């Protein structure tokens, strides 16, 4: 006998409860040294999410019930209210999944609005280094991750929960290291007249390395900013970027 698309309504609706805990702590210092401003910080944040879905049916427990020949066995052909709640409690389960993500960062930055003088005014410089560690852990219910297996006849048989596909536990982590530098260079000094005519050049570069990918990226940015009058700015820029696959990808 093959049963398809059977969902006993007397089992009741499915309920999903989600509980999330989040925290973030950070500490930093800043100061001045020889005309340079500096600041550094470390931070750690984490998110823990627990999902519990109730009123699910275990394939293993249901198979055992259907195999009974005693009067208290579950009867799938009796229609609504043919089985008691005590009978359904013998196959009723809850599915519990947990996930945690963590991010730890550290950075150090220096800057000077007047690092040195050029013909059109002082040159501003900023630079810094950063470190990030990302990690995640997904802990699926034992009836979904292959710990409790219904059968090995096909892929869906690895799940012991009716109507839910199997999902393996997973985890990953990565360290990312970055360095950047930026300079603001005045090319034409503005005057006091109506025609202000101030021109600035911005140059920047950023490099990052990802230890899980064993790959690095170096990307530039350059921009020109022209003020023909004080209240009007024309800007042109060129920059390059990159996108790193997330840890699940």
């Amino acid at each position: 006998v093959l049963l398809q698309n059977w969902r006993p309504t007397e089992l009741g609706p499915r309920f999903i409860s989600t509980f999330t805990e989040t925290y973030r702590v950070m500490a930093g210092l800043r100061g001045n040294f020889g005309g340079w401003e500096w600041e550094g910080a470390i931070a750690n944040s984490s998110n823990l999410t627990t999902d519990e879905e109730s009123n699910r049916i275990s394939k293993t427990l249901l198979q055992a019930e259907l195999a009974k020949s005693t009067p208290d066995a579950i009867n799938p052909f009796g229609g609504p209210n043919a089985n008691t709640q005590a009978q359904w409690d013998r196959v009723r389960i809850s599915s519990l999944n947990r996930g945690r993500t963590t991010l730890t960062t550290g950075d150090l930055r220096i800057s000077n609005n007047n690092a040195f003088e050029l013909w059109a005014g002082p040159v501003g410089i900023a630079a810094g280094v950063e470190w990030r560690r990302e990690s995640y852990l997904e802990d699926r219910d034992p009836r979904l991750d292959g710990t409790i297996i219904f059968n090995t006849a096909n892929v869906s048989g690895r799940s012991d929960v009716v109507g839910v596909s199997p999902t393996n536990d997973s985890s990953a982590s990565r360290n990312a290291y970055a360095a950047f530098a930026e300079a603001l260079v005045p090319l034409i000094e503005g005057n006091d007249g109506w025609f202000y005519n101030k021109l600035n050049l911005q140059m920047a570069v950023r490099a990052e390395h990802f230890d899980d990918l064993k790959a690095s990226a170096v990307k530039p940015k350059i921009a020109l900013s022209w003020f023909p009058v004080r209240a009007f700015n024309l800007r042109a820029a060129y920059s390059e970027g990159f996108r790193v696959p997330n840890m699940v990808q």
Side-chain angles (χ1 to χ4, degrees), residues 1-232:
V1 178
L2 177 63
L3 298 176
Q4 288 184 322
N5 300 323
W6 175 56
R7 180 177 177 183
T9 56
E10 59 265 39
L11 191 68
R14 296 169 184 161
F15 296 97
I16 300 177
S17 300
T18 301
F19 178 75
T20 301
E21 289 182 304
T22 301
Y23 77 84
R24 183 173 186 265
V25 293
M26 183 177 67
L29 294 172
R30 64 175 56 174
N32 293 275
F33 180 77
W36 291 81
E37 295 182 359
W38 61 269
E39 63 176 338
I42 56 173
N44 180 262
S45 61
S46 181
N47 180 281
L48 174 63
T49 300
T50 302
D51 290 326
E52 182 176 14
E53 186 175 7
S54 59
N55 270 355
R56 281 292 186 178
I57 297 177
S58 163
K59 296 178 183 178
T60 301
L61 298 177
L62 179 61
Q63 184 184 55
E65 283 293 316
L66 297 178
K68 287 182 177 180
S69 58
T70 56
D72 65 336
I74 288 178
N75 179 9
F77 306 107
N81 302 317
N83 303 287
T84 66
Q85 288 300 312
Q87 289 174 294
W88 288 121
D89 286 343
R90 294 200 295 263
V91 299
R92 192 195 316 266
I93 61 169
S94 294
S95 176
L96 187 65
N97 302 307
R98 294 183 177 90
R100 179 187 292 274
T101 59
T102 304
L103 175 64
T104 306
T105 63
D107 66 81
L108 178 64
R109 305 163 187 265
I110 60 171
S111 63
N112 191 330
N113 292 329
N114 191 2
F116 57 90
E117 288 281 341
L118 286 181
W119 61 89
V123 175
I125 294 178
V129 292
E130 297 176 356
W131 165 73
R132 300 190 310 275
R133 179 172 178 80
E134 308 168 64
S135 64
Y136 87 92
L137 171 66
E138 187 175 23
D139 182 16
R140 306 291 288 178
D141 189 88
R143 297 182 184 273
L144 299 175
D145 65 7
T147 303
I148 302 175
I149 298 176
F150 175 60
N151 64 48
T152 58
N154 51 50
V155 174
S156 63
R158 293 186 67 250
S159 168
D160 190 51
V161 182
V162 174
V164 181
S165 300
T167 309
N168 293 332
D169 295 341
S170 60
S171 63
S173 63
R174 85 158 42 124
N175 289 291
Y177 308 92
F180 66 90
E182 181 178 351
L184 182 62
V185 183
L187 299 180
I188 300 177
E189 183 179 7
N191 55 56
D192 294 330
W194 180 86
F195 183 59
Y196 188 46
N197 193 30
K198 183 176 182 178
L199 181 65
N200 291 328
L201 170 66
Q202 181 188 22
M203 298 179 293
V205 63
R206 183 180 180 88
E208 291 205 35
H209 175 75
F210 305 90
D211 65 351
D212 60 334
L213 302 174
K214 301 296 189 292
S216 301
V218 180
K219 298 299 178 181
K221 176 184 178 180
I222 186 168
L224 284 172
S225 178
W226 180 47
F227 288 85
V229 295
R230 292 180 183 273
F232 184 69

